[in-house]
Amino acid sequence: MTKTVLVVDDDPTQRRLIQAVLERDGFAVAHADGGDAAIQRLAAGGKADVVLLDLVMPGMSGQETLAEMRARGFPQPVIVVTATGGIDTVVQAMQAGACDFFVKPAAPERILVSIRNALSMGALKGEVDRLTKRQAGRTTFDDLIGSSPAMTMVKRMGER
């Protein structure tokens, strides 16, 4: 299944460059031109397995966007992207829940490694959460793995 990366950046050139790198490696790419647009997209159920988030944007900054995502319970791993690699800024983003960062412009290999690592960490976290629920006897139909139409129908029937 193709993984979707949500690229949140106010610079359309940066979005297109990152899109070209990601699509060449088989990822689907979604765009948001700012923090508000990203939050609206995620709240509307837009698919995003990983979020690449620029920290410096007009309107809602990357830090504010990350805080809002975590406050709303969006589980996607977030990789922060910054043109100014200030240590304080990066530390704040990591403390707020980002899983990695890189400084623009980044080599395509660096971007891809960061995304693959974020996806692996997300998969491991999901597995740990499922095992913890199972051990505690709190599993639900949402914990079943599979998203095919047939599996979705099975989940709905079980919930009824």
Side-chain angles (χ1 to χ4, degrees):
M1 181 186 297
T2 302
K3 299 293 183 181
T4 301
V5 179
L6 174 60
V7 179
V8 184
D9 197 323
D10 60 317
D11 182 0
T13 304
Q14 274 294 346
R15 289 195 310 262
R16 282 192 302 272
L17 289 171
I18 291 174
Q19 178 178 0
V21 168
L22 296 176
E23 286 179 345
R24 204 171 331 145
D25 206 58
F27 290 101
V29 179
H31 298 278
D33 61 2
D36 292 322
I39 295 297
Q40 289 173 1
R41 177 179 171 71
L42 293 170
K47 185 172 177 357
D49 297 297
V50 179
V51 178
L52 280 181
L53 178 63
D54 186 19
L55 286 180
V56 181
M57 296 182 290
M60 183 183 277
S61 73
Q63 294 280 15
E64 294 167 339
T65 304
L66 180 57
E68 182 67 19
M69 285 178 65
R70 295 306 177 231
R72 291 186 182 211
F74 297 134
Q76 292 86 355
V78 175
I79 301 166
V80 294
V81 182
T82 182
T84 57
I87 296 294
D88 294 340
T89 305
V90 171
V91 168
Q92 288 173 353
M94 299 298 277
Q95 289 174 337
C99 67
D100 198 1
F101 77 96
F102 58 84
V103 179
K104 292 192 263 188
E109 297 80 23
R110 173 67 176 100
I111 296 169
L112 293 171
V113 164
S114 187
I115 289 172
R116 286 187 193 114
N117 287 345
L119 288 169
S120 295
M121 284 181 33
L124 289 172
K125 183 182 179 314
E127 185 63 21
V128 168
D129 290 347
R130 275 190 293 281
L131 290 171
T132 302
K133 280 180 160 182
R134 183 173 162 206
Q135 183 67 27
R138 296 182 292 121
T139 55
T140 65
F141 286 103
D142 291 332
D143 297 314
L144 291 173
I145 299 171
S147 59
S148 69
M151 192 64 185
T152 303
M153 189 167 44
V154 167
K155 288 178 187 179
R156 286 188 190 140
M157 287 173 52
E159 287 171 345
R160 275 189 269 150

